[in-house]
Amino acid sequence: MNLFLLLTTLWLAWLLTGTIAEHLARRQLNNIPHRILVSGIRGKSTLVRLILAGLRASETVSAGRITGDAPTIIWPDGREETQTRRGPANIREIRRTIRRICAGNLCNGRLRAVVIENMAIRPDLQTIVAERLVRPTLAVFAPDGPDHLEDNPADPEARQSLLLSTIPMNTPRLIVDSMTTFADPTLHPHMRPLAGAALEVIEHVTGAIGHRARAAVLNTARDLQKLRVYRRDSVAWVDGLSINDPLAASQ
């Protein structure tokens, strides 16, 4: 009987702790007016960086998170803080990131926007990220590509439809494609849609695209496209984009 009471007490304590944590997480999110979730296949980290660069130039207090090679918080002043993983990657990292960003009263009226890269690969986990961990006010879909086909359809239209279904229907969406292209000859073709989409997000958040924001996005895009990803015998497969699946990158 004593063991039963102990187990019941522990279960109730665990349930109460989870409920309190969920309430605090929702309150923190509600204190951030603009929550931008960047999903999709290719260029998510690049897109997060471009958006944050433009928001900083617009004097909009904003922070974000990229995954790439390591989970990294980008603070309002542009400083980057790499987070240490204690085990395999897990989508719960996003909640810890929000908690970390909101420490020090940053989310009590100061932070206007947060830009989060959707680290989930499986569509069901992407849905959890959107519905529970970020609750985006705007969802941005980076360019499509034949990546992570073990969890996504091989057909491009089916893959795009599945990714779109991971976001609540009432959430505004922006798909990075030829319609978002920022026509600048100094940018590589793969970077132009990303830069254009970043400018659209900045306009969505601030209501306008100022000269400083445009210049910041353009300069950041130029810097990022200098990067090269090397795989297999030092062959450069792609510039300026982080590729997690070398087999997909070779196609």
Side-chain angles (χ1 to χ4, degrees):
M1 186 65 178
N2 289 336
L3 179 59
F4 174 77
L5 289 175
L6 176 61
L7 293 176
T8 302
T9 301
L10 291 175
W11 178 78
L12 289 174
W14 174 81
L15 185 63
L16 180 61
T17 300
T19 301
I20 293 174
E22 183 74 18
H23 173 74
L24 291 176
R26 283 181 173 270
R27 189 172 68 178
Q28 287 178 330
L29 288 173
N30 289 337
N31 286 336
I32 306 173
H34 300 280
R35 303 179 298 275
I36 301 152
L37 180 63
V38 179
S39 296
I41 305 293
R42 300 278 173 83
K44 294 189 294 294
S45 296
T46 297
L47 189 50
V48 171
R49 290 183 180 278
L50 292 174
I51 294 170
L52 289 174
L55 289 176
R56 283 197 302 272
S58 303
E59 299 183 353
T60 301
V61 180
S62 54
R65 180 187 194 268
I66 59 174
T67 51
D69 294 330
T72 302
I73 294 176
I74 303 177
W75 292 99
D77 59 1
R79 177 174 52 90
E80 298 189 7
E81 176 185 318
T82 300
Q83 297 180 290
T84 302
R85 279 194 174 118
R86 296 178 176 84
N90 190 295
I91 60 173
R92 286 193 295 268
E93 294 176 6
I94 294 177
R95 177 158 290 175
R96 290 194 292 269
T97 294
I98 299 294
R99 191 182 306 126
R100 173 78 179 103
I101 290 174
C102 288
N105 293 324
L106 186 59
C107 292
N108 288 343
R110 292 179 55 206
L111 190 68
R112 302 300 301 166
V114 65
V115 188
I116 301 293
E117 177 182 344
N118 195 338
M119 62 180 291
I121 296 174
R122 286 168 35 195
D124 59 324
L125 295 180
Q126 292 192 40
T127 300
I128 294 174
V129 170
E131 293 183 351
R132 296 185 56 187
L133 302 183
V134 178
R135 298 170 60 222
T137 57
L138 175 65
V140 185
F141 291 88
D144 183 46
D147 206 351
H148 302 298
L149 297 182
E150 69 280 5
D151 293 298
N152 293 282
D155 178 69
E157 291 187 7
R159 187 167 56 244
Q160 183 81 308
S161 177
L162 181 60
L163 288 175
L164 289 172
S165 71
T166 64
I167 303 297
M169 289 297 297
N170 60 343
T171 303
R173 307 173 186 191
L174 173 63
I175 299 175
V176 181
D177 54 20
S178 60
M179 299 298 293
T180 65
T181 294
F182 180 39
D184 188 287
T186 65
L187 297 182
H188 292 176
H190 69 257
M191 189 65 75
R192 293 170 191 168
L194 294 173
L199 290 172
E200 289 196 29
V201 173
I202 292 160
E203 184 175 24
H204 176 85
V205 172
T206 66
I209 305 173
H211 173 73
R212 290 183 179 179
R214 187 180 297 272
V217 169
L218 181 59
N219 291 334
T220 302
R222 287 169 178 164
D223 288 340
L224 290 175
Q225 70 185 13
K226 296 176 184 177
L227 302 176
R228 293 182 183 273
V229 176
Y230 291 91
R231 297 289 190 276
R232 293 179 182 173
D233 302 321
S234 297
V235 176
W237 287 355
V238 64
D239 297 329
L241 296 176
S242 174
I243 295 298
N244 298 318
D245 185 350
L247 293 178
S250 66
Q251 297 178 4

